[in-house]
């Protein structure tokens, strides 16, 4: 269930919510390293490693919800903070990350 901490510039969502948002056109940004991404990722996720998110902020779509995902949800929270610093506001963090996505039985691409 989506939760919003007033101290965070993003909303925490679960796999089911992320899947629904994806179907509604949200962009998925995978902030892990390339070797992690290549081992399996959320379908149609764009790879932008966390240490490059702010530098590559122009690549983040401003016209849609952005779901950030990493392995378990920590790096993606940091990426959300960077996106917020770049002026984006429709930010979501997939709790449990790619691990939760795959464990829930959702499809993954390689």
């Amino acid at each position: 269930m989506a939760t919003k901490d007033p101290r965070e510039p993003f909303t925490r969502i679960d796999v089911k919510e992320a899947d629904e948002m994806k179907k509604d056109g949200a962009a998925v940004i995978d902030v892990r390293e390339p070797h992690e991404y290549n081992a399996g990722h959320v379908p149609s996720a764009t790879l932008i490693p966390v240490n490059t998110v702010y530098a590559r902020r122009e690549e983040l779509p401003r016209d849609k919800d952005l779901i950030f995902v990493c392995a378990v949800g920590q790096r993606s929270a940091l990426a959300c903070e960077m996106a917020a610093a770049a002026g984006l506001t429709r930010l979501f963090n997939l709790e449990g990350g790619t691990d939760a996505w795959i464990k829930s039985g959702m499809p993954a691409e390689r």
Side-chain angles (χ1 to χ4, degrees):
M1 175 164 202
T3 56
K4 178 81 174 94
D5 182 322
R7 297 165 299 181
E8 297 173 334
F10 58 88
T11 301
R12 295 170 182 268
I13 58 172
D14 63 23
V15 170
K16 188 173 185 222
E17 290 165 316
D19 186 47
E20 289 300 317
M21 290 176 66
K22 210 164 117 18
K23 289 174 183 166
D24 289 339
V28 179
I29 311 297
D30 192 316
V31 300
R32 298 174 301 155
E33 294 302 311
H35 70 276
E36 294 173 284
Y37 178 86
N38 292 334
H41 56 270
V42 174
S44 73
T46 301
L47 177 63
I48 302 180
V50 68
N51 59 351
T52 67
V53 168
Y54 192 77
R56 294 175 61 184
R57 61 192 176 274
E58 296 306 319
E59 296 176 44
L60 300 173
R62 294 185 169 267
D63 61 341
K64 51 179 76 173
D65 292 336
L66 298 179
I67 302 169
F68 287 88
V69 61
C70 62
V72 296
Q74 290 183 322
R75 285 176 286 177
S76 52
L78 178 60
C80 284
E81 300 273 356
M82 291 181 201
L88 286 97
T89 56
R90 294 164 62 182
L91 307 172
F92 299 85
N93 183 34
L94 177 58
E95 290 292 289
T98 306
D99 289 357
W101 181 270
I102 292 170
K103 282 179 186 158
S104 75
M106 297 300 287
E109 291 181 345
R110 290 187 188 274

